[in-house]
Amino acid sequence: MTRIKRGYIARRRRTKIRLFASSFRGAQSRLTRTIIQQKIKALVSAHRDRDRQKRNFRRLWITRINAEIREMGVFHSYSELINNLYKKQLLISRKILAQLAIFDKNCLYMISNDIIK
């Protein structure tokens, strides 16, 4: 009986997985089973941390806005500023407010004074 050579499909699949794990250390870049496990773990972590990153940036923006507002002395707290923004229907994202707090403090001061009037 002649020898049957296997096809290329499985090898192509393993090569694709190895390319994903080429930067991993040790057996996690060499052994197929370990690579597959590590790939699943990496993708789960990436998915989880995308949400966590959004959360962390929102916290950072709020902290920056709060620090600048208290320093200016216009409002006592961040929540007071946001509440008054909603009352005046000035919908400015926290990201933009944080950038204003860092780069253009006068603009943030003008916005907060507009809210008070």
Side-chain angles (χ1 to χ4, degrees):
M1 196 171 213
T2 58
R3 177 176 170 262
I4 297 173
K5 290 174 68 177
R6 291 286 307 266
Y8 61 91
I9 295 170
R11 183 170 59 247
R12 191 171 56 184
R13 176 174 47 87
R14 289 190 200 106
T15 306
K16 196 159 59 170
I17 292 170
R18 281 208 171 89
L19 285 174
F20 180 85
S22 62
S23 62
F24 295 170
R25 292 181 63 190
Q28 294 160 349
S29 67
R30 292 184 187 91
L31 304 178
T32 304
R33 282 186 185 178
T34 317
I35 289 173
I36 292 169
Q37 290 171 356
Q38 200 59 31
K39 179 182 177 183
I40 292 169
K41 187 173 182 180
L43 293 175
V44 165
S45 295
H47 183 264
R48 179 194 63 226
D49 291 338
R50 274 195 296 275
D51 289 336
R52 192 171 286 174
Q53 184 185 31
K54 292 178 184 78
R55 211 176 304 150
N56 288 340
F57 269 110
R58 185 184 166 96
R59 287 176 62 190
L60 176 68
W61 297 331
I62 289 172
T63 307
R64 286 177 175 171
I65 296 166
N66 193 24
E68 191 57 40
I69 287 298
R70 286 171 189 254
E71 188 179 304
M72 286 192 305
V74 180
F75 289 107
H76 295 294
S77 67
Y78 159 83
S79 60
E80 198 177 327
L81 170 74
I82 295 296
N83 185 27
N84 287 326
L85 276 173
Y86 275 103
K87 282 181 185 173
K88 293 283 186 176
Q89 295 179 341
L90 290 172
L91 300 178
I92 305 173
S93 70
R94 287 159 180 82
K95 179 180 179 180
I96 301 300
L97 283 173
Q99 286 179 343
L100 288 174
I102 292 173
F103 298 117
D104 195 4
K105 296 178 183 182
N106 291 334
C107 184
L108 186 65
Y109 187 74
M110 288 168 45
I111 290 172
S112 56
N113 280 339
D114 265 358
I115 295 169
I116 292 172
K117 291 178 182 175

